[in-house]
Amino acid sequence: MILEEMTTVEVEAALAKCRSVIVPLGVMEAHGPHLPLATDTIQAYDAARRAAQLVDVFVAPPVPYGYCRSLSGHPGTIAISAETVRSLTRDLLASLYSQGFRNLILYSGHASALQMAALEEAAEAVLPSCPEANVAVVLEYDVLRKRMAGIIETPGDMHAGEIETSRLLAIRPELVRRDRLPPASDRESARPILARDVKRYWPSSVLGDPRKSSEEKGRRLGQIVAEYLAELVQRMEQWQPH
Ligand SMILES: [Zn+2]
């Protein structure tokens, strides 16, 4: 059930039978010369929509902005602060709860530690005021990392590499610039020193090997995340809030 495409009458009727919702979260962030800036948003929304084909669940409109620091110097990266992520997430959860949703899944396509911390902090903050809610915070990369053996060949593949390029080839192939697939790349960091010019340390914005990607790998990864989300919805529906 795609919330943004439904009418208020349809939502009211559907809420009588289903109180679970997935909120996909992404970011506008450089993903090499070959993938669109909204890659994480596209992945998260697709995973949620596929899950909705396996189990009854609402899918909220995706949040297209998130916290991003390491690629903030690349053209097109448009970031919001962790504070804004927290406020936005708290407001969304409170509003969904007030509408009657009880199983709330925050599903992030964006693997920033600070973004994930902001989501978790926001979710923790609403628990006391939403006593009947079950809230889950899920990172797509974590789901895949534990389940992608035998599919993904590149050790440490994480950003705009084999995983994400495969995912996009399966979801929106027309958005993948196949003639610009860059070679495998790593990243450096000045840490623990905080550099101002972060682009200097990760000019490629790729961590992994895009040239090992394939549509078939992306299809299998898409199936894994959809099944994971569908099982999580079922588990949360049995879960007694505590
Ligand atoms: Zn990404």
Side-chain angles (χ1 to χ4, degrees):
M1 293 179 281
I2 310 304
L3 202 47
E4 64 184 331
E5 297 173 4
M6 297 173 76
T7 67
T8 185
V9 181
E10 290 163 355
V11 170
E12 185 179 32
L15 266 174
K17 298 179 199 136
C18 172
R19 292 178 167 264
S20 303
V21 61
I22 303 170
V23 182
L25 297 118
V27 70
M28 277 285 287
E29 175 182 78
H31 275 79
H34 61 301
L35 293 180
L37 296 160
T39 287
D40 293 0
T41 314
I42 292 168
Q43 292 179 143
Y45 201 20
D46 182 75
R49 293 174 77 108
R50 279 172 196 278
Q53 290 169 0
L54 303 175
V55 70
D56 270 351
V57 64
F58 288 89
V59 179
V63 178
Y65 297 108
Y67 175 86
C68 174
R69 163 86 178 126
S70 55
L71 294 166
S72 55
H74 287 67
T77 295
I78 299 170
I80 57 177
S81 67
E83 187 185 344
T84 304
V85 174
R86 278 194 295 274
S87 302
L88 178 66
T89 307
R90 277 197 307 268
D91 288 354
L92 286 176
L93 291 173
S95 184
L96 287 164
Y97 186 80
S98 75
Q99 285 285 331
F101 293 98
R102 290 297 176 265
N103 301 303
L104 311 156
I105 299 172
L106 300 174
Y107 184 73
S108 180
H110 176 41
S112 147
L114 259 175
Q115 161 97 3
M116 294 312 294
L119 296 181
E120 198 157 320
E121 203 179 335
E124 292 275 5
V126 302
L127 286 182
S129 54
C130 303
E132 293 170 25
N134 295 317
V135 185
V137 183
V138 182
L139 171 60
E140 170 161 311
Y141 180 70
D142 280 346
V143 176
L144 287 177
R145 194 163 44 93
K146 295 172 189 156
R147 295 167 181 80
M148 66 189 186
I151 303 175
I152 294 302
E153 304 163 56
T154 315
D157 191 277
M158 230 188 134
H159 195 267
E162 185 180 356
I163 299 170
E164 292 196 303
T165 307
S166 297
R167 289 278 282 129
L168 264 284
L169 280 171
I171 305 169
R172 297 285 303 275
E174 77 282 9
L175 294 180
V176 180
R177 281 60 161 181
R178 291 169 206 249
D179 55 337
R180 289 200 207 134
L181 289 189
S185 177
D186 208 339
R187 75 173 160 189
E188 292 174 27
S189 169
R191 287 189 178 275
I193 302 166
L194 299 179
R196 286 175 184 78
D197 179 13
V198 288
K199 193 173 177 218
R200 178 194 306 187
Y201 293 91
W202 196 9
S204 72
S205 73
V206 173
L207 179 55
D209 190 353
R211 294 184 180 173
K212 292 249 168 59
S213 63
S214 77
E215 184 273 338
E216 167 62 13
K217 287 175 182 175
R219 202 189 52 73
R220 291 171 69 187
L221 298 176
Q223 186 71 16
I224 289 171
V225 290
E227 284 172 5
Y228 173 88
L229 277 171
E231 280 168 26
L232 179 60
V233 168
Q234 289 168 328
R235 201 164 8 125
M236 290 175 78
E237 282 168 355
Q238 306 299 319
W239 182 273
Q240 293 305 315
H242 60 271

